[in-house]
Amino acid sequence: MSDDRVLVENCDGYVVITLNRPDKLNAFTPIQNNSLMEALDTADANPDCRAVVITGAGRGFCAGQDLGERDPADGTPDLGQTIETYFNPMIRKLRAIQLPVICAVNGVAAGAGANVALACDIVLAARSAKFIQAFSKIGLVPDSGGTWTVTRLIGEARAKAVMLTGAPVTAEIAEQWGMIWKAVDDEQLMDEAHSLAGSLSKGATVGLGLTKMLVQAAGTNTLDKQLDLERDTQREAGRTPDYVEGVSAFLEKRPAVFTGRR
Ligand code: LHQ
């Protein structure tokens, strides 16, 4: 990665992508948006990469769009263009990538920063972290999929309250509400993230990717459509070498060694 605003660490079977503008709480600039996309594309294209962790450097995860990037006195901003160019492709990528994406929310996640985190597949958050739908405080609407994701995760009553008030949601409340997977002690966060990524990266990657797609499709499919999709994806999973290995290992009473290959 050429740009030091996003760091990429290659670990054994997975990558850790770190947003790295800690003095601005890792607020997104176009360069940082592009670098994050590039890092996700590279991970996706690498057959040896079987899980992704996203986190932030310093005391924050991400404070959303960098508000210093534009002149508020400019009377004709096209924020829709910014969203179309940077944020929507990123959310689509996080949902489409056929690898488990873990977000390790190390501190405050505000605005688009909160919704990028919540678009990831498994969200761990440090106990000191907070999720803030900060948009209402600056006259904007929630973006980066927040109205879709957060409403599905915590329901309309809570979603409307956090979005209209901009009230911070602590990691522990987020866990209680089912908005994230787990709140963990601050000093344990990265150990947990590495341990989870390490274990997922040794899983049956094709099956895990298909499972991610199935769960996502369930949000909008009818039961009938979902049953058909499960049939089709099970057919696909059943043709992977990892299925052969998984069943053989079970019968031979030994741990499975998955390759993640098709
Ligand atoms: C920041 C930011 C920031 C620049 C902290 N920008 N510097 C999409 C497309 C198009 C357009 C618009 O928007 C979007 C999506 C969005 O994300 S809109 C929402 C944008 N984000 C926000 O409104 C959050 C703004 N930040 C805050 O409310 C606070 O900073 C939070 C609650 C995140 C953290 O508060 P504190 O812990 O008290 O930290 P702080 O406010 O002192 O911030 C530390 C530094 O980070 C400070 O810089 P400085 O040079 O004074 O030390 C802040 O200016 C800077 N910073 N957020 N978004």
Side-chain angles (χ1 to χ4, degrees):
M1 177 66 49
S2 51
D3 175 43
D4 64 4
R5 276 160 274 206
V6 168
L7 306 174
V8 179
E9 182 192 355
N10 287 304
C11 301
D12 183 18
Y14 61 96
V15 291
V16 179
I17 302 172
T18 305
L19 305 176
N20 188 36
R21 292 179 71 229
D23 54 324
K24 297 294 173 196
L25 302 179
N26 305 316
F28 280 116
T29 60
I31 294 176
Q32 184 164 277
N33 283 105
N34 286 338
S35 301
L36 176 54
M37 277 299 278
E38 195 185 313
L40 290 171
D41 284 336
T42 305
D44 199 10
N46 177 0
D48 295 327
C49 178
R50 294 163 66 188
V52 175
V53 177
I54 303 177
T55 191
R59 72 177 177 89
F61 171 68
C62 175
Q65 168 77 19
D66 188 319
L67 297 175
E69 281 273 301
R70 51 184 81 237
D71 177 3
D74 173 359
T76 55
D78 184 353
L79 301 189
Q81 184 61 39
T82 309
I83 287 172
E84 184 65 15
T85 308
Y86 299 107
F87 291 91
N88 284 357
M90 191 184 303
I91 300 303
R92 291 191 173 109
K93 181 77 197 174
L94 289 168
R95 301 277 295 181
I97 186 170
Q98 293 231 350
L99 297 173
V101 182
I102 298 158
C103 191
V105 182
N106 52 300
V108 67
N115 293 334
V116 166
L118 296 172
C120 296
D121 301 316
I122 302 183
V123 184
L124 302 173
R127 258 178 239 292
S128 66
K130 291 182 177 64
F131 297 84
I132 309 178
Q133 296 292 330
F135 309 88
S136 61
K137 305 279 189 196
I138 55 168
L140 293 182
V141 301
D143 59 29
S144 304
T147 55
W148 192 93
T149 312
V150 176
T151 306
R152 277 167 172 74
L153 289 171
I154 63 176
E156 196 171 312
R158 284 168 172 157
K160 281 181 180 159
V162 298
M163 289 180 191
L164 296 176
T165 65
V169 177
T170 63
E172 284 183 15
I173 295 287
E175 180 188 318
Q176 275 172 35
W177 285 358
M179 197 165 92
I180 65 167
W181 165 237
K182 221 199 263 190
V184 300
D185 291 341
D186 288 24
E187 57 282 6
Q188 293 299 318
L189 179 72
M190 288 318 292
D191 285 351
E192 284 247 9
H194 278 282
S195 156
L196 185 55
S199 131
L200 288 168
S201 71
K202 292 179 177 56
T205 308
V206 175
L208 297 183
L210 292 171
T211 302
K212 166 174 173 170
M213 295 307 137
L214 279 169
V215 173
Q216 291 176 179
T220 46
N221 269 348
T222 60
L223 174 60
D224 260 347
K225 240 187 138 190
Q226 193 70 11
L227 287 170
D228 288 348
L229 196 59
E230 288 178 359
R231 175 202 59 212
D232 294 343
T233 48
Q234 195 70 293
R235 187 170 282 144
E236 195 176 337
R239 288 178 179 146
T240 61
D242 283 342
Y243 170 61
V244 177
E245 167 61 9
V247 176
S248 306
F250 174 77
L251 295 175
E252 291 160 20
K253 300 189 186 303
R254 61 171 174 80
V257 182
F258 295 121
T259 63
R261 301 290 194 255
R262 285 193 177 271

